[in-house]
Amino acid sequence: MVAPAGGGSPSRWPSEEELNIVRKNVAEISGGDAREVRVVACPYRICPLGAHIDHQGGIVTAMTINYGVLLGFVPSDDAEVVLQSGQFKGVTRFRVDDLQKPIENRGNITWESYARGAVYALQNSGYDLRKGIIGYISGVNGFDSSGLSSSAAVGIAYLLALENVNDLVLSPVDNIQLDKSIENKYLGLENGILDPSAILLSQYGYLTFMDCKTASPSYVYFSEPSKSQQPQGRLPFKILLAFSGLQHNLPKSRGYNMRVFECKEAARALLCASGCEDAPILRKVDPGVYEAQKCILDENLARRAEHYFSEMKRVVKGRDAWARGDLQEFGQLISASGGSSIVNYECGSKEMIQLYEILLKAPGVLGARFSGAGFRGCCLAIVESGRAEEAAAYVGAEYERAQPELVSKIPADRRVLVCEPGDSARVILHA
Ligand code: GLA
């Protein structure tokens, strides 16, 4: 796999203004020069196709957006980590040579857990950490990032900063495994590698493909038939994010791990029926065996398995549609994925389903589904570039009519966002 050259997004995230705020805050905490502050820019992600199949070794698609987390940092003089947050109160202090242990009670997860989790992951993989960081981390103010992989973005930001000050040079694939270790081992969430793969690999203009069984990525370039009608190099669509007003902290939730368990139970039953005793994940089940044996599954497990096998087919079809520049078909597959998440995977909630249905009716929307785990958080849509604002206004007004109370709690300019696809996470060295 040859990674495409990075930095192609026309969205210019983060702006100089955003970077300077972070630099100034770090300089105030460290007493140093703002120009010396380094910044990790870690974008949020969307997954157009491949919902809830990463933890079963499936194939997922991903891209980043032009919003995310910024972590400004300087190396500390010794092993101490000192952190402040733009969204949460307090100062966190600990040492990178303190031995970190996994969190036992997920109710105890706080914003500082991700920094400790990054140290845990590096320690656990045998990396020698001598230097800490003095840092300031910030998401976008007033922005509810649930559904956009904010926890992976924060975890990766700390990994990249700690690696930077300790002169560790790791590949994106190494960092995907380290982030997996933060989420699975330190925080106890049984998720797959969709989020870190998206954040560490995505490049504007490409759909990132990750085979979660082999952890091998590939890229598909968007080939668009009427290129001459587009401003140079720009993709002909935008991403709409519509926020439900129901916040979500995935690592603290039980629903996600319950579904993973059900998928594994379905895999166990199907593998057993074909005389195989492999560790149960659905990727190990041959699709032919699934078709022949699915009648043995009880109703819930049958739905989870149907979601997995139908989503794998949508991913393959979606890759071809994207490569042809066929956004109509790509969008229809995204909406079908959304439907399967509701009917077969049974995530979402009344409000999220309302939002999904409103998006499907919005002008210029080509496809919509829940973003991320989908129990709460936001829905995403792919929308024709020229109709994005019109679609955003329609969705904002309709959802407000459906859920006035919930919507009143979301800042007016953060209810429906029009975004651009972005690039991968990176360290910006100097002002
Ligand atoms: C969350 C998890 C991912 C993935 C998605 C659903 O974002 O962190 O690993 O399972 O849900 O596709």
Side-chain angles (χ1 to χ4, degrees):
M1 187 248 355
V2 180
S9 172
S11 71
R12 306 237 160 81
W13 178 79
S15 66
E16 262 322 292
E17 193 190 342
E18 289 168 292
L19 286 170
N20 284 337
I21 295 174
V22 169
R23 288 178 181 131
K24 187 171 148 276
N25 279 303
V26 177
E28 270 167 24
I29 306 167
S30 69
D33 183 341
R35 286 169 303 182
E36 298 296 319
V37 174
R38 310 167 197 178
V39 183
V40 188
C42 226
Y44 297 133
R45 67 92 190 90
I46 62 158
C47 165
L49 290 164
H52 286 291
I53 60 173
D54 59 341
H55 48 73
Q56 297 305 301
I59 303 175
V60 298
T61 72
M63 50 182 101
T64 53
I65 60 168
N66 58 327
Y67 287 90
V69 168
L70 296 178
L71 169 63
F73 66 99
V74 288
S76 56
D77 292 334
D78 53 18
E80 193 174 32
V81 172
V82 181
L83 295 170
Q84 286 189 35
S85 155
Q87 278 72 41
F88 300 96
K89 289 204 172 82
V91 182
T92 288
R93 284 176 195 274
F94 66 97
R95 291 176 59 89
V96 289
D97 48 10
D98 292 344
L99 196 63
Q100 299 297 329
K101 296 210 186 87
I103 289 198
E104 276 170 21
N105 174 355
R106 284 194 285 138
N108 293 339
I109 295 172
T110 65
W111 71 273
E112 65 162 84
S113 306
Y114 296 87
R116 289 180 184 271
V119 169
Y120 165 84
L122 287 159
Q123 286 175 343
N124 209 36
S125 295
Y127 291 103
D128 186 21
L129 297 178
R130 288 155 195 248
K131 283 227 167 237
I133 55 172
I134 301 175
Y136 173 85
I137 191 152
S138 179
V140 186
N141 270 333
F143 184 95
D144 169 20
S145 54
S146 39
L148 297 170
S149 81
S150 48
S151 66
V154 170
I156 290 169
Y158 288 123
L159 286 172
L160 297 188
L162 288 163
E163 290 162 20
N164 180 279
V165 299
N166 285 285
D167 297 322
L168 298 172
V169 182
L170 274 71
S171 70
V173 172
D174 292 335
N175 276 317
I176 290 169
Q177 294 308 332
L178 287 170
D179 184 65
K180 183 170 162 53
S181 164
I182 302 179
E183 304 252 5
N184 295 174
K185 294 189 182 151
Y186 185 79
L187 299 172
L189 180 70
E190 308 253 345
N191 58 349
I193 57 172
L194 162 68
D195 303 344
S197 305
I199 294 170
L200 287 156
L201 296 167
S202 295
Q203 300 296 347
Y204 185 83
Y206 295 84
L207 191 59
T208 305
F209 260 75
M210 178 51 97
D211 183 329
C212 299
K213 183 161 170 243
T214 56
S216 40
S218 57
Y219 293 94
V220 183
Y221 185 62
F222 183 78
S223 147
E224 183 260 309
S226 56
K227 237 180 202 140
S228 54
Q229 294 164 19
Q230 295 303 320
Q232 243 189 355
R234 284 225 170 193
L235 290 165
F237 66 87
K238 302 223 185 219
I239 298 161
L240 274 195
L241 297 177
F243 294 88
S244 67
L246 300 168
Q247 294 206 347
H248 200 32
N249 183 330
L250 193 56
K252 284 188 182 178
S253 85
R254 286 178 187 194
Y256 185 93
N257 280 357
M258 171 58 80
R259 288 286 178 277
V260 176
F261 173 77
E262 290 167 346
C263 288
K264 287 187 178 167
E265 283 303 293
R268 189 192 311 280
L270 292 164
L271 287 166
C272 241
S274 59
C276 170
E277 289 188 357
D278 255 354
I281 54 168
L282 285 165
R283 185 70 183 277
K284 295 200 174 152
V285 179
D286 181 86
V289 168
Y290 167 63
E291 285 305 327
Q293 301 285 353
K294 62 185 178 189
C295 51
I296 65 165
L297 296 173
D298 82 20
E299 201 186 320
N300 278 349
L301 301 193
R303 287 187 192 196
R304 310 303 175 248
E306 180 55 25
H307 174 74
Y308 172 86
F309 286 100
S310 64
E311 190 71 356
M312 282 290 275
K313 286 188 195 152
R314 284 186 285 272
V315 167
V316 173
K317 283 193 184 160
R319 176 182 56 202
D320 297 345
W322 171 271
R324 285 196 307 276
D326 185 346
L327 276 184
Q328 294 292 337
E329 186 180 347
F330 190 65
Q332 281 160 10
L333 289 161
I334 293 174
S335 302
S337 165
S340 179
S341 290
I342 296 169
V343 174
N344 294 320
Y345 207 74
E346 295 183 282
C347 54
S349 57
K350 189 179 103 210
E351 298 82 355
M352 290 286 283
I353 295 171
Q354 272 174 342
L355 199 45
Y356 162 74
E357 286 170 350
I358 291 170
L359 278 164
L360 290 183
K361 292 189 208 130
V365 163
L366 299 155
R369 55 171 296 250
F370 301 152
S371 187
F375 292 96
R376 297 167 151 243
C378 63
C379 290
L380 69 90
I382 301 289
V383 58
E384 291 164 26
S385 287
R387 304 186 77 185
E389 296 299 338
E390 192 190 342
Y394 172 90
V395 174
E398 289 298 309
Y399 188 58
E400 187 169 18
R401 215 190 315 275
Q403 292 294 340
E405 262 193 43
L406 270 180
V407 170
S408 69
K409 292 182 198 137
I410 316 174
D413 61 343
R414 299 280 186 244
R415 292 176 185 167
V416 187
L417 286 186
V418 176
C419 309
E420 301 264 3
D423 291 307
S424 58
R426 58 206 174 277
V427 181
I428 300 165
L429 287 180
H430 295 291

